[in-house]
């Protein structure tokens, strides 16, 4: 696309470049250059222009487009990264792509979800221009029984990405919520499809929702006590494309190490975990049972002890840590 090519030149030049030079580099007319500049300005790119000097790229908007992701990821990787302005759910969209033969590692990223899904049938608030809603398709040669730990691996992978960009690590609340200052900034929803004849995993969809730029006022009343964003907690405003690209890199690394790097991911998970030692309530169906989190086992399960001396090892499910949210 001419727009992408013109933007690439403006980025490379890091200063003024004449319309004539752009048109000769790309072999297009001056009118086509002007049209591309207009399109970019309409998208929010600040493009300064000066007589006899040409154009110069100023402020770049915080977009989650292929063009912006491509600044941080190689062109080869971008061939299986699909960026969308709005979608009901990136997990739904990539599931359709999976059934149409999308490759292992396919990524879908959206700037907004109108039907974002969370765990246990909940909705995941996905307002536009502030978060990252990202799904990856994974086609491992694994049995379904090997897969539950992938959610915990993903929590570590996302935390690695956050550390690479912001220099901080979040706490992980078992099994896969990332928290900053006692509030949630990331949720992960993993969905698996099993081949009925062989019983093998057909594919796994890993969906990640990151609150990046929301202010407290942006969350609905019932979430204000529970959710926050990375910008609200750190004061750092990072380009979402940079963070999204780092998440893609970390997910690629995770895929390449699956399933042999369990020890590394377990060590990181235990170091980031904030659940062990806490008083919690184990939620199963409609039942809620108070207990204490005792340990993360070698397969990322949670060992819980109850007041009557009994105990349980939870390999999936949900716990709520008493007094966790809003305690600041
Ligand atoms: C949770 O915290 O309950 C999990 C939230 C997972 C949200 C992500 S956003 C990208 C992907 N698409 C969805 O509809 N859900 C996941």
């Amino acid at each position: 696309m001419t727009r992408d090519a013109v933007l690439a030149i403006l980025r490379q030049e890091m200063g003024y470049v004449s319309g004539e030079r752009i048109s000769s580099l790309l072999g297009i007319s001056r009118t086509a250059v002007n049209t591309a500049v207009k399109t970019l300005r309409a998208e929010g790119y600040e493009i300064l222009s000066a007589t006899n000097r040409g154009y110069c790229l100023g402020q770049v908007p915080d977009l989650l487009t292929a063009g912006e992701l491509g600044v941080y990821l190689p062109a080869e990787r971008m061939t299986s990264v699909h960026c969308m302005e709005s979608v009901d759910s990136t997990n739904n969209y990539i599931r359709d792509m999976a059934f149409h033969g999308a490759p292992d590692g396919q990524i879908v990223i959206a700037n907004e979800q109108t039907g974002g899904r969370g765990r246990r049938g909940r909705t995941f608030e996905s307002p536009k221009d502030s978060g990252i809603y990202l799904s990856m398709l994974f086609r491992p040669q694994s049995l379904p029984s090997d897969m539950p730990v992938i959610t915990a691996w993903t929590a570590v992978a996302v935390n690695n990405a956050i550390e690479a960009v912001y220099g901080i690590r979040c706490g992980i609340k078992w099994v896969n919520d990332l928290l900053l200052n006692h509030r949630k900034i990331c949720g992960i929803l993993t969905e698996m499809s099993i081949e009925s004849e062989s019983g093998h995993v057909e594919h796994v969809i890993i969906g990640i929702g990151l609150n990046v730029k929301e202010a407290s006022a942006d969350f609905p009343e019932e979430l204000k006590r529970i959710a926050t964003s990375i910008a609200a907690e750190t004061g750092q405003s990072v380009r979402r494309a940079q963070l999204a690209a780092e998440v893609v890199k970390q997910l690629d690394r995770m895929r390449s190490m699956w399933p042999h790097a369990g020890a590394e991911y377990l060590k990181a998970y235990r170091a980031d975990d904030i659940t062990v030692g806490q008083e919690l309530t184990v939620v199963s169906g409609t039942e809620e049972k108070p207990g204490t989190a005792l340990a993360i086992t070698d397969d990322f399960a949670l060992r819980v002890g109850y007041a009557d001396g009994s105990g349980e090892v939870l390999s999936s499910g949900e716990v709520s840590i008493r007094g966790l949210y809003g305690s600041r």
Side-chain angles (χ1 to χ4, degrees):
M1 260 167 80
T2 309
R3 167 214 173 277
D4 296 340
V6 170
L7 180 58
I9 291 177
L10 291 171
R11 273 208 159 100
Q12 270 159 26
E13 295 292 321
M14 316 249 291
Y16 276 92
V17 51
S18 71
E20 196 179 331
R21 182 165 151 77
I22 299 174
S23 75
S24 91
L25 280 171
L26 297 178
I28 57 173
S29 68
R30 291 289 303 275
T31 316
V33 174
N34 290 344
T35 308
V37 167
K38 266 192 200 148
T39 307
L40 289 165
R41 280 179 174 151
E43 288 173 18
Y45 290 86
E46 183 189 18
I47 297 175
L48 312 168
S49 55
T51 325
N52 296 330
R53 297 181 72 192
Y55 300 110
C56 175
L57 186 60
Q59 292 287 330
V60 172
D62 181 30
L63 303 177
L64 280 178
T65 55
E68 291 304 315
L69 265 288
V71 172
Y72 305 99
L73 290 174
E76 194 190 310
R77 183 63 181 95
M78 287 304 296
T79 57
S80 52
V81 175
H82 183 67
C83 297
M84 310 179 79
E85 177 52 32
S86 181
V87 68
D88 61 343
S89 152
T90 53
N91 269 30
N92 294 353
Y93 193 89
I94 209 165
R95 185 182 53 211
D96 285 347
M97 292 182 82
F99 289 122
H100 286 94
D104 182 35
Q106 174 72 49
I107 297 277
V108 171
I109 300 177
N111 184 44
E112 174 189 37
Q113 290 185 127
T114 53
R117 294 190 287 110
R119 300 196 309 143
R120 303 180 146 250
R122 287 190 284 251
T123 56
F124 185 78
E125 286 296 319
S126 314
K128 68 176 179 171
D129 300 333
S130 47
I132 297 174
Y133 317 110
L134 182 152
S135 298
M136 181 180 77
L137 179 64
F138 185 25
R139 296 185 184 278
Q141 303 290 314
S142 300
L143 290 168
S145 55
D146 295 332
M147 292 319 294
V149 301
I150 197 69
T151 306
W153 282 49
T154 303
V156 171
V158 175
N159 224 0
N160 290 345
I162 290 172
E163 182 172 24
V165 174
Y166 293 89
I168 52 160
R169 287 190 84 82
C170 300
I172 300 178
K173 172 182 168 276
W174 188 86
V175 58
N176 60 4
D177 285 346
L178 265 56
L179 276 72
L180 274 176
N181 299 332
H182 310 290
R183 286 178 168 81
K184 178 166 165 174
I185 58 100
C186 175
I188 299 166
L189 174 68
T190 306
E191 298 177 296
M192 177 163 62
S193 164
I194 299 166
E195 202 176 70
S196 52
E197 299 90 57
S198 66
H200 274 80
V201 175
E202 192 166 64
H203 66 246
V204 176
I205 292 169
I206 299 171
I208 299 162
L210 275 156
N211 303 332
V212 185
K213 294 167 64 178
E214 291 89 343
S216 167
D218 297 333
F219 291 106
E221 212 46 52
E222 68 277 14
L223 288 186
K224 282 193 167 71
R225 205 173 53 87
I226 295 172
T228 186
S229 72
I230 309 180
E233 299 305 320
T234 65
Q236 291 187 57
S237 116
V238 162
R239 307 183 59 70
R240 284 177 302 152
Q242 183 187 352
L243 179 57
E246 196 55 47
V247 170
V248 172
K249 287 182 199 165
Q250 291 294 337
L251 292 177
D252 285 350
R253 178 173 184 271
M254 178 181 89
R255 263 188 318 123
S256 74
M257 295 175 86
W258 175 265
H260 305 294
E264 179 196 314
Y265 281 82
L266 181 64
K267 190 170 170 217
Y269 189 92
R270 282 181 170 149
D272 294 336
D273 166 70
I274 55 151
T275 315
V276 170
Q278 303 284 340
E279 301 293 306
L280 43 74
T281 304
V282 177
V283 186
S284 88
T286 53
E287 208 190 325
E288 297 193 354
K289 213 168 160 187
T292 307
L294 300 178
I296 303 288
T297 69
D298 289 352
D299 42 13
F300 297 89
L302 183 67
R303 189 189 306 283
V304 177
Y306 296 116
D308 62 5
S310 66
E312 191 174 9
V313 174
L314 306 171
S315 54
S316 66
E318 183 147 302
V319 295
S320 70
I321 299 178
R322 271 176 261 153
L324 173 67
Y325 298 117
S327 50
R328 64 174 177 184

